[in-house]
Amino acid sequence: MSRDEIREGLSDILEEVAGVNPDDVADNKSFTDDLDVDSLAMVEVVVAAEEKFGVKIPDDEVANLKTVGDAVSYIEKG
Amino acid sequence: MTEVVVTGLGATTPLGGDVPSTWEALVAGKSGVNALEEEWAQQLPVRIAAQLAVEPSEVLPRIRLRRLDRSEQIALIASQQAWDDAGLSDDLDRERLGVVFGSGIGGALTLLEQDDILEGTGPRRVSPYTVPMLMPNGPAAVVGLEYRAKAGVHAPTSACATSAEAISWAADMIRVGRADVAIAGGAEAVIGGLPMAGFASMKAMSTRNDDPERASRPWDRDRDGFVMGEGAGALVLERREHAEARGAQIYAVVAGSGLTSDGYDIVQPDPECNGGGRAMRAAIKQAGIDPKSIGHVNAHATSTPVGDMAEVKGVKREIGEHVVLTGTKSMTGHLLGGAGAVESIATILAIRDGVIPPTINLDNPDPELDLDVAANEARKKDLDAAMNTGFGFGGHNAAVLFTKP
């Protein structure tokens, strides 16, 4: 899956569970500071992303996923 | 002594999505009770309830709905209306703003829904919002956050006395100087299989499934229990000087309130209404008025065989035989934790408009009913003072006394 496809899938999840406008989703955007995704919303995003992309995102890894780009890279590595 | 006034009202009920539509339906004697068509209800002995007239999804954005229990959604909706109605400015000192907002049961529907997810797909799919959605202080916390209240956010939980108690606490909060403004109220939304089955097992609910609009009938000879309703009410209370300084509209004065407990039984009301009567007496004493000036009581009157008549004894003893009673649960159903707030709003508007809403379905009054009830039709009456009462499982009693501004 390409980075663009992953970003698009992530964008759908962010819109569904956190009401994030897809136009605002870009690699350099911070989940908490730019997209208003707080810690509880992030839990929902992670669970949905695991299902959608068939990856495991351990809890101690979630803290490192500060931006959309971080998440795309992590999922890309699979 | 510090005087506490009411400057804003908000509600969403089985009769309307706001205060004007609810009040209009109450005065017109409309029933909000309907048959439950949902599949989960079909196995229950009770298949009627008073559901919201306006769904929260028509009012709140999708993401807010997703993160709030239904009781929190309607607490927020009622509070938003009350806040806007009060016309408070954005520069209100939030350290002087309090919230007292209760719920009788809390987020029971969330608890059940998330338990289904736990059993069905496992713990990882349980929503991270589960706890803030089901905690009984959730409605209070959501309202407090919305308006950044910093004087204190409190959540009384006293079953069906909850939101009458909330108004009492909020008035006290202002009287003792902890706040200038307080949002008081209650919300309940537990029309679902387990809560309905639980109340039905107690034989507390009407089983008049084939005639929903006539099921809630306080003081009628053929009453057979309460009808579950869902809804929320919110009132903005304010220190009088604070309200006058900003030129606010004043609906009524919270002249007094009384809170007592029965020490009698976990669910049965004291048949002599001793505890309820003491709550009425305390409210009258705090107000310092002659009971003769109280022209109307919006009674707890749930349409249960014992409770309805016990309260009549209490009212007669503590207030007198001149008073005109009404039981608006005949129309709204029993909003449990939301009841006291919605009924206090009806009491306040009765004073404002000089109109007592009817008790519908009072076709054959109980032979022991020896007080005047506004039966089946609204009653015009100038009111200087009127009282709302609320009694809850656990033996909680609340009485709130309002007077003309």
Side-chain angles (χ1 to χ4, degrees), chain A residues 15-19 40-41 44 47 50-51, chain B residues 62-63 66-67 124-129 132:
Chain A
E15 186 181 21
E16 168 63 22
V17 307
L40 296 188
E44 285 198 300
V47 171
E50 286 185 339
E51 286 190 359
Chain B
R62 185 181 63 84
I63 291 299
R66 191 183 158 88
R67 296 173 181 179
R124 225 171 139 66
R125 292 303 302 268
V126 169
S127 167
Y129 295 95

Side-chain angles (χ1 to χ4, degrees), chain A residues 37-53:
Chain A
V37 176
D38 65 14
S39 61
L40 296 188
M42 196 62 190
V43 174
E44 285 198 300
V45 171
V46 166
V47 171
E50 286 185 339
E51 286 190 359
K52 187 167 198 131
F53 301 109

Side-chain angles (χ1 to χ4, degrees), chain B residues 338-352:
Chain B
V342 169
E343 287 155 22
S344 284
I345 290 170
T347 308
I348 289 163
L349 295 179
I351 295 174
R352 183 192 68 179

Side-chain angles (χ1 to χ4, degrees), chain B residues 10-96:
Chain B
T12 182
T13 74
L15 296 173
D18 58 15
V19 169
S21 57
T22 297
W23 179 237
E24 193 184 335
L26 282 171
V27 172
K30 292 197 175 134
S31 170
V33 183
N34 54 272
L36 291 170
E37 308 292 351
E38 291 86 345
E39 203 187 327
W40 57 259
Q42 302 315 312
Q43 56 159 341
L44 298 175
V46 174
R47 298 180 294 281
I48 51 175
Q51 294 170 296
L52 288 172
V54 176
E55 275 298 307
S57 57
E58 293 176 42
V59 185
L60 294 174
R62 185 181 63 84
I63 291 299
R64 294 220 78 177
L65 291 167
R66 191 183 158 88
R67 296 173 181 179
L68 299 175
D69 180 75
R70 191 169 170 88
S71 62
E72 296 170 335
Q73 295 168 8
I74 59 179
L76 185 59
I77 290 168
S79 298
Q80 285 173 338
Q81 292 171 9
W83 182 267
D84 292 345
D85 188 36
L88 287 158
S89 74
D90 286 342
D91 58 11
L92 177 74
D93 180 357
R94 303 305 159 122
E95 292 189 8
R96 301 291 299 159

Side-chain angles (χ1 to χ4, degrees), chain B residues 2 29 34 50 100 109 125 130 153 172 203 211 262 275 280 283 293 352 356 392 396:
Chain B
T2 302
N34 54 272
V100 188
L109 300 184
R125 292 303 302 268
T130 301
V153 172
D172 284 351
K203 311 294 177 202
D211 200 2
D262 279 349
M280 297 175 205
S293 66
R352 183 192 68 179
I356 297 168
H396 312 276

Side-chain angles (χ1 to χ4, degrees), chain B residues 313-397:
Chain B
K313 287 186 192 168
V315 169
K316 229 165 71 175
R317 197 171 58 234
E318 304 298 336
I319 302 175
E321 298 188 8
H322 64 281
V323 80
V324 179
L325 293 181
T326 201
T328 45
K329 288 185 182 77
S330 59
M331 298 173 277
T332 60
H334 193 347
L335 307 183
L336 310 182
V342 169
E343 287 155 22
S344 284
I345 290 170
T347 308
I348 289 163
L349 295 179
I351 295 174
R352 183 192 68 179
D353 293 355
V355 175
I356 297 168
T359 302
I360 65 168
N361 301 322
L362 186 47
D363 301 328
N364 299 296
D366 188 303
E368 284 177 39
L369 176 65
D370 52 359
L371 283 181
D372 189 5
V373 174
N376 302 314
E377 276 185 19
R379 180 88 58 91
K380 279 196 162 49
K381 185 175 165 79
D382 280 334
L383 299 167
D384 292 323
M387 182 183 277
N388 174 235
T389 55
F391 312 132
F393 281 171
H396 312 276
N397 307 299

